[in-house]
Amino acid sequence: VIVEHEFKLYLYLGGKLAKTYPVAVGQPEYPTPTGDFVITEKVENPTWTPPNSPWAAGLEPIAPGPYNPLGTRWIGTTAPLVGIHGTPEPANVGHAESHGCVRLTNWDAQRVAAWAKPGTTVVFR
């Protein structure tokens, strides 16, 4: 469960709260959607591919590494163009900084990805 106004991700295991992580969410002009979604994929060391969006026009893909805006983990969801991922800029966590995605520190993204399974419901509220 991601509670946007708290900038928190609540990880539940077996119906019990297991851990809370600080997150960054979408900027006001690119808000994180609200609703129930499903995890579709997990990728270690992803390549960032510019989305078909005006803000990304003319940008090139970024290979895995220290400058990749997805950090070291990508957890894709059924929310259009929105996932949960790491960031190479941990100072942005705790703010409305993204283009709709939910960002964690790379360390926290690795921990969450270890528990994330395709088919699991993710609630953005």
Side-chain angles (χ1 to χ4, degrees):
V1 175
I2 291 92
V3 180
E4 295 177 38
H5 73 274
E6 293 179 3
F7 302 103
K8 300 280 185 191
L9 181 152
Y10 295 91
L11 177 67
Y12 289 88
L13 300 174
K16 294 186 179 187
L17 180 62
K19 186 75 176 165
T20 303
Y21 297 96
V23 299
V25 297
Q27 305 168 45
E29 55 273 15
Y30 300 103
T32 300
T34 57
D36 294 1
F37 302 96
V38 175
I39 293 173
T40 57
E41 66 178 344
K42 296 189 318 181
V43 180
E44 285 189 33
N45 300 312
T47 295
W48 179 77
T49 302
N52 185 12
S53 180
W55 69 264
L59 297 178
E60 297 293 324
I62 300 174
Y67 303 108
N68 186 303
L70 300 179
T72 60
R73 298 294 184 274
W74 166 259
I75 302 167
T77 72
T78 54
L81 302 175
V82 173
I84 302 166
H85 62 82
T87 178
E89 299 180 40
N92 291 343
V93 171
H95 306 281
E97 296 283 339
S98 79
H99 290 96
C101 287
V102 175
R103 296 179 187 168
L104 298 142
T105 66
N106 280 331
W107 181 253
D108 288 346
Q110 291 171 19
R111 290 179 173 178
V112 171
W115 292 104
K117 306 275 187 262
T120 300
T121 298
V122 180
V123 179
F124 296 156
R125 60 178 181 187

